[in-house]
Amino acid sequence: MTMQLKEAPNSMKSLKGRDFLTLGDYKQEEINYLLELAEQLKVKRKAGQEEATLKGKTLGMIFEKASTRTRVSFEAGIYQLGGNGIFLSTKDLQIGRGEPIADTAKVLSGYLDGIMIRTFSQETVQELAANASIPVINGLTDLYHPCQVLADLLTIKEQKGVLEGVNITYIGDGNNMANSLMIGAGLMGMNLTVCAPDGYLPMKEEIDKAKQLTAISGGKIVVESDPNEAVQDTDIVYTDVWASMGQEKEQQQRIEAFHHYQVTTELLSLAKPDVSFMHCLPAHRGEEVDAAVIDGKQSVVFQQAENRLHAQKALMSSIMK
């Protein structure tokens, strides 16, 4: 029996044509709708019942940063929805030779139905969106990684059955993952503890943004320096690499700073018995996480990675329709 995708309620039809630059641009009900649609699309994918909801649509994918999961999930996703994806390296585009972002946005708007960009500066993404007449998706910047957290929310919902009230502990650098997790947790009524050494916590401005969201959702954002305290009574332990792309020169300095922040089996044992381990990948086994953890039975990192596909298909089918 073929399952029909649920029709979007009128309140959700406003997603058409919207940009996705940060999770904070969306309401809780809109994220819930995207997650519900992602669940349906995942079931249909497993049953071999793909729907060509974006037949004839083309997504341009601009990459200034290298990628595995972002490129393959978006390219496969648009294809599975009946559309086409075009890989656009900044080394090949004229923006790599100095053409203004605004000009590129206007030109691509005449050719494409949507743009996904993975780059360094959030300002680049914002300028692209401000000048494009088609939806722009933030595939990653140094400030935010909203597509990853959309997939993370889907994974947590699958693991725990709910989002509201779930306790998450993020141990590691206060980077784009920490920023987007704070927004996601604050938006969805979750309790997030961010644990990092002094000098590596998220910016106060990002913490304050997330706390403003919890005032509406009922969630909680906490900053902690002791990993042993941070994991107490948590449902999810999440980590990321200590040195992100572009920070390679700081690698040794960061290894020393984060030495006591590795997620080990001993640390995981202090959390709830049914704790799940998450990592956005790629991972450095033996640095931020012990191999026994990431390859262990409590790890859901490959479920997480797969969910990039389903969450992004829900996003594309909603804003590019």
Side-chain angles (χ1 to χ4, degrees), residues 133-164:
S133 58
I134 55 176
V136 172
I137 299 170
N138 178 2
L140 173 140
T141 65
D142 287 346
L143 190 60
Y144 297 122
H145 199 352
C147 288
Q148 177 65 55
V149 174
L150 190 63
D152 294 342
L153 293 174
L154 176 60
T155 307
I156 294 168
K157 190 177 180 185
E158 289 174 339
Q159 286 291 311
K160 306 304 176 184
V162 296
L163 292 177
E164 189 173 0

Side-chain angles (χ1 to χ4, degrees), residues 196-209:
D198 289 341
Y200 294 95
L201 287 167
M203 294 181 292
K204 183 179 183 300
E205 177 185 355
E206 297 302 320
I207 296 172
D208 290 343
K209 280 182 191 175

Side-chain angles (χ1 to χ4, degrees), residues 113-130:
D113 302 287
I115 302 170
M116 187 284 300
I117 181 168
R118 180 179 169 97
T119 186
F120 291 91
S121 170
Q122 183 71 15
E123 287 71 25
T124 297
V125 177
Q126 291 169 340
E127 186 177 357
L128 186 70

Side-chain angles (χ1 to χ4, degrees), residues 51-293:
E51 283 194 17
T53 55
L54 294 182
K55 184 178 181 180
K57 302 288 186 181
T58 304
L59 176 74
M61 304 179 299
I62 301 175
F63 285 88
E64 189 174 11
K65 281 190 173 186
S67 168
T68 297
R69 280 149 292 275
T70 299
R71 178 176 178 178
V72 178
S73 58
F74 269 107
E75 195 162 344
I78 188 70
Y79 175 78
Q80 290 167 17
L81 292 169
N84 295 286
I86 301 176
F87 174 79
L88 303 167
S89 168
T90 53
K91 295 177 182 177
D92 301 324
L93 294 173
Q94 292 296 337
I95 54 175
R97 298 177 60 238
E99 181 174 47
I101 294 294
D103 289 1
T104 298
K106 291 168 185 173
V107 169
L108 293 182
S109 293
Y111 302 147
L112 306 169
D113 302 287
I115 302 170
M116 187 284 300
I117 181 168
R118 180 179 169 97
T119 186
F120 291 91
S121 170
Q122 183 71 15
E123 287 71 25
T124 297
V125 177
Q126 291 169 340
E127 186 177 357
L128 186 70
N131 289 278
S133 58
I134 55 176
V136 172
I137 299 170
N138 178 2
L140 173 140
T141 65
D142 287 346
L143 190 60
Y144 297 122
H145 199 352
C147 288
Q148 177 65 55
V149 174
L150 190 63
D152 294 342
L153 293 174
L154 176 60
T155 307
I156 294 168
K157 190 177 180 185
E158 289 174 339
Q159 286 291 311
K160 306 304 176 184
V162 296
L163 292 177
E164 189 173 0
V166 170
N167 299 324
I168 311 172
T169 299
Y170 173 84
I171 301 175
D173 188 31
N175 57 14
N176 50 8
M177 274 311 313
N179 292 338
S180 286
L181 277 172
M182 288 193 300
I183 293 173
L187 193 62
M188 307 309 291
M190 307 166 81
N191 305 313
L192 174 66
T193 298
V194 177
C195 182
D198 289 341
Y200 294 95
L201 287 167
M203 294 181 292
K204 183 179 183 300
E205 177 185 355
E206 297 302 320
I207 296 172
D208 290 343
K209 280 182 191 175
K211 286 185 175 181
Q212 287 173 7
L213 292 170
T214 63
I216 301 170
S217 70
K220 186 167 62 175
I221 306 295
V222 175
V223 174
E224 173 63 62
S225 60
D226 183 350
N228 293 331
E229 289 295 325
V231 300
Q232 298 293 325
D233 198 38
T234 198
D235 299 293
I236 306 286
V237 171
Y238 198 125
T239 193
D240 190 10
V241 294
W242 292 337
S244 298
M245 202 176 298
Q247 297 174 332
E248 289 81 4
K249 292 181 179 179
E250 303 175 27
Q251 181 76 23
Q252 191 55 44
Q253 172 188 331
R254 286 171 171 268
I255 288 174
E256 293 172 6
F258 283 95
H259 178 68
H260 298 294
Y261 290 80
Q262 184 186 79
V263 179
T264 61
T265 52
E266 291 76 17
L267 184 64
L268 214 59
S269 70
L270 301 177
K272 287 184 177 179
D274 64 344
V275 65
S276 297
F277 172 75
M278 300 179 73
H279 192 306
C280 57
L281 301 179
H284 295 161
R285 288 165 173 80
E287 287 187 17
E288 74 273 5
V289 60
D290 187 55
V293 171

